[in-house]
Amino acid sequence: MAAARLLGQAPALAVWRSVLAVSSRAGLAWRPSRCRSSAAEAPATKAEDDSFLQWFLLLIPVTAFGLGTWQVQRRKWKLKLISELESRIMAEPVPLPADPMELRNLEYRPVKVRGYFDHSKELYMMPRTMVDPEREAREAGRLSSSAQSGAHVITPFRCTDLGMSILVNRGFVPRKKLNPDTRKKGQIEGEVDLVGMVRLTETRKPFVPENNPERNHWYYRDLEAMATLTGTEPIFIDADFKSTVPGGPIGGQTRVTLRNEHMQYIITWYGLCAATSYLWVKKFLRRAPGT
């Protein structure tokens, strides 16, 4: 009887063994599949991150190269501007145009006029130091300067040939000579021929004080305000050095400066481009396999 029961149960046991074996194999097969999927996703994510970083960092040398090239063009433009300015300054004097509108394109151009000064309406632009190229070259880079502080004397000038009055910067006087009574010898009387450079009006720069007409202190050229106060046309010229007379203001106080630092910028930007390009190539193109 017992043997018969065992024989009857044999097929069932065989079926259970088969189910357990299949289940066991299925479980073993599924678990490794999940691990392999996670392991495959990690390298893909890392590759995407590296690709983004690679192209993002490439923007640094590309941008630096573009800025360097832009500075090359700026330098060409500045050199042309300096050349035009130098040729204008060295040009022969022309008669002063009667129309102020014609002067817009004549700044720094020498002009000649004939007439007489009205010393009773002097204006003072201050503080100013005397233009002295030799001293300025010696003191370049120093923190202090030996230049004496003073003012530019702006005097109405009646142009007898044009029938109008203009403003003339006669030049520099030290502060102790600001009062005209201290320089009576230099107060020119009668008609004179004068050569000077055309100057246009200025806008107030940051940190420059406002002009104070009540105290006769002028910090920048406001031609409309100056002309209204003195009853002249809004025309302004800087008298040349030859206009200087003993005891009077020192002429030739036109300061012509155009900054040309573009070569420094070119070297900076192209240097940055070269350095970052080398680092980029070393990082992304010359890596050993597997790194």
Side-chain angles (χ1 to χ4, degrees):
M1 293 286 293
R5 282 197 300 272
L6 290 172
L7 290 172
Q9 294 175 356
L13 292 171
V15 171
W16 276 110
R17 289 193 187 98
S18 300
V19 172
L20 290 172
V22 171
S23 299
S24 177
R25 285 195 298 273
L28 291 172
W30 176 77
R31 283 192 295 271
S33 174
R34 180 175 56 189
C35 294
R36 285 196 300 270
S37 176
S38 299
E41 289 175 359
T45 303
K46 185 175 184 301
E48 291 177 0
D49 292 343
D50 284 352
S51 177
F52 172 79
L53 182 64
Q54 174 181 355
W55 297 114
F56 178 77
L57 292 179
L58 186 60
L59 289 175
I60 298 175
V62 170
T63 303
F65 181 83
L67 290 171
T69 303
W70 177 62
Q71 287 296 331
V72 169
Q73 301 303 318
R74 290 277 296 173
R75 183 172 181 270
K76 290 180 180 178
W77 167 79
K78 183 61 69 68
L79 290 175
K80 181 180 178 182
L81 185 63
I82 292 173
S83 176
E84 291 176 353
L85 183 57
E86 289 177 346
S87 63
R88 180 179 298 182
I89 291 171
M90 301 303 294
E92 287 294 318
V94 297
L96 177 70
D99 185 359
M101 298 297 292
E102 296 182 29
L103 299 174
R104 291 186 175 182
N105 298 322
L106 293 179
E107 186 163 28
Y108 296 112
R109 179 66 192 265
V111 295
K112 53 186 178 181
V113 292
R114 180 174 179 80
Y116 55 89
F117 289 104
D118 181 1
H119 300 293
S120 65
K121 298 180 181 180
E122 284 185 350
L123 305 179
Y124 307 113
M125 293 187 65
M126 57 175 64
R128 294 293 188 271
T129 57
M130 189 172 67
V131 173
D132 185 348
E134 293 183 2
R135 175 187 54 78
E136 292 170 3
R138 288 195 310 267
E139 297 180 351
R142 294 184 185 178
L143 297 178
S144 60
S145 173
S146 61
Q148 189 177 15
S149 178
H152 287 176
V153 178
I154 315 302
T155 308
F157 185 85
R158 182 67 181 178
C159 300
T160 53
D161 53 345
L162 297 176
M164 66 178 186
S165 296
I166 64 172
L167 295 166
V168 174
N169 176 10
R170 293 189 61 200
F172 172 85
V173 294
R175 188 174 292 273
K176 64 183 180 180
K177 292 287 187 180
L178 196 59
N179 189 331
D181 292 335
T182 63
R183 45 183 168 83
K184 289 183 178 181
K185 185 179 178 181
Q187 302 295 76
I188 305 174
E189 300 293 341
E191 280 196 349
V192 294
D193 292 309
L194 199 65
V195 174
M197 290 187 184
V198 175
R199 303 304 307 274
L200 302 181
T201 194
E202 290 179 310
T203 55
R204 188 174 69 89
K205 297 178 181 179
F207 309 112
V208 173
E210 292 283 359
N211 289 328
N212 190 337
E214 290 77 16
R215 297 184 61 192
N216 199 5
H217 289 179
W218 301 81
Y219 302 100
Y220 62 96
R221 285 190 308 276
D222 184 346
L223 297 192
E224 291 295 336
M226 289 177 165
T228 300
L229 186 64
T230 56
T232 66
E233 296 294 326
I235 299 175
F236 190 106
I237 66 173
D238 286 340
D240 64 7
F241 182 76
K242 294 179 180 178
S243 68
T244 306
V245 296
I250 301 173
Q253 297 301 306
T254 306
R255 192 180 296 275
V256 182
T257 55
L258 282 178
R259 295 176 59 187
N260 183 17
E261 300 176 350
H262 297 290
M263 182 57 72
Q264 299 177 31
Y265 302 143
I266 291 171
I267 295 173
T268 298
W269 288 121
Y270 279 154
L272 180 62
C273 173
T276 52
S277 296
Y278 169 77
L279 294 175
W280 189 87
V281 170
K282 184 177 179 181
K283 170 71 175 175
F284 296 107
L285 299 186
R286 293 184 178 178
R287 290 184 301 180
T291 61

